[in-house]
Amino acid sequence: MRPSGFLAKTSALAIKDLRVELRGRDTLPPMLAFAFTVALVLAFAVPELPATARPTKLTVALAYVEAGFLWITVLFAGLIGFARTFEVEREEGAIDALLLAPVDRSGLFIAKAAANLVFVACVEAVVIPSLALFFAIDLGAGWLPLLGVIVLVDLGFVAAGTLFAAVAAQTRSRELVLPLLALPTLVPVFIAAIELTADLFLGAAFDDMAGRGWFAILLAFDVIYGVVAALTFELALD
Amino acid sequence: MSSQGAARRSYSDVLGLAAWASVAVALYLVFFVAREADISMGGQLQRIFYFHVPAAWISYLSFAIVFLASIAYLRTASRRWDLLAHSAAEIGVVFCTLVLITGPIWARPVWGTWWQWDARLTSTLVLWLTYVGYLFIRNLSTDGARAGRLAAVIGITGFVDVPIVHFSVQWWRTLHPSGPTVSNPAADSGLGGAELAAFFASLAAFTLLFAWLLSLRTRLGRLADRVDSLAVATESRNPAEPQRVPARNPVGEAT
């Protein structure tokens, strides 16, 4: 059966990208290995503190550093993967064929972003347990809110990252341009992610976390960049 | 064509004269009329404020122009808007750099530190990085027409980020009451009439200077376009004899 609706076509394109990855294994395994290695190296920078029942100044500072390390690892590994968003098409000269796909260009954006989302989720599935192990973090009941934070961060990260990957793909020195564009833009996402994650590492209650407004920043970024990226993606491509 | 160009030139010359005159007036007011500020605001050093704040205003104005001209360019595909966006971005980055240099020079003796992770400072730095990225896209793009479109996308997404960055860094630091809080230098500095006059004169001078630079930069861009089209025209006339520029070899010279 041929896909006909917008959703069916978009998911067909996304599945195509994932299938290429499944057969070639060019992007995800290096991303995962990179993320794991970075997590390992960063673990050497974290000092061991005596266990305390209550958060002290030192444990609070450490929680922020650990949250920062976590998101830096995800961000860098993610950007390395995003830089390859159009690599298959570029290498095989198939970008025109991709543009001919009988779907609105925003569908193309959603398909590429969805494939990138899967990659980032895989990276997080490796990095977060590894870092929890390395840093001896016990999340307790905090894992469910953390999942919410991850989803909100990933949506904005993938939306902005996929758009900038399309822009960077058409420049010389692509690999350098992508972080140059993406990192300043992602500053709000990064700050919000660190604040929320550090709160969870310190065992904050969900209500306290939600009351601080960081979810609103993430949500605003997701919505704004989701819309802007879907609208400008086609202009960046042709 | 030539009359239109001449009209543009004289318009630009008038702007240039006005800019230089207003700069002279502003300098006089800033250094000879405005009184020395309280020592808690830096004393004589407080005069940097008359350059710092107008430079910040010009950089924000430039980036707003980049944003609007980028949208106009994507809608019309007219080279005029592309050139305006490019010119405004270059000038904006220059003035934003001035903001980031003059700020720390004042802050070092007054706050006791070159840099504070204050909301305003952080968002200015992020903004500067964004538009440096914009200029990189211009220079690293593989072909000219595409560079305009790619840069326009960055000009839009970068500006949209400004309010989000602003709120996030504001909450980030307000929620960490460690370290001194940074107040707006204008708010409690007791600027009197003479100081306000100097400030607004400086603001006007910077704005005129900006308008003049913008007209010069867009003219430069138009002339560069003409040179390019002339080069293409001569090339297509004698395709058999491509003009050869003797390549300089800096390594070869030594041997």
Side-chain angles (χ1 to χ4, degrees), chain A residues 91-112:
Chain A
E91 278 171 4
E92 307 293 336
I95 197 107
D96 293 330
L98 186 70
L99 293 176
L100 282 175
V103 65
D104 191 83
R105 292 281 162 78
S106 62
L108 197 55
F109 168 72
I110 293 168
K112 286 288 184 190

Side-chain angles (χ1 to χ4, degrees), chain A residues 64 163-164 166-168 170-173 177 180-181 184-189 191-192 195 212-214 216-217 220-221 224-225 228-229 232-238, chain B residues 74 122 126 129-130 132-134 136-137 139-143 146 149-151 153-154 156-165 167-173 175-176:
Chain A
Y64 274 89
L163 175 68
F164 291 145
V167 171
Q170 302 175 66
T171 62
R172 301 187 294 277
S173 52
V177 170
L180 194 68
L181 295 177
T185 307
L186 287 166
V187 160
V189 176
I191 296 176
E195 293 282 344
R212 294 181 53 191
W214 292 111
I217 289 274
F221 190 94
I224 292 173
Y225 272 84
V228 171
T232 52
F233 187 70
E234 67 170 311
L235 301 160
L237 264 189
D238 54 24
Chain B
L74 289 178
T122 312
V126 171
L129 278 171
T130 303
V132 167
Y134 175 96
F136 268 115
I137 285 294
N139 294 329
L140 290 173
S141 182
T142 43
D143 82 81
R146 186 168 281 164
R149 250 192 332 267
L150 297 179
V153 169
I154 304 301
I156 293 169
T157 55
F159 198 71
V160 163
D161 210 23
V162 171
I164 313 179
V165 170
F167 279 118
S168 66
V169 292
Q170 202 164 23
W171 289 349
W172 174 52
R173 269 323 178 205
L175 292 168
H176 292 256

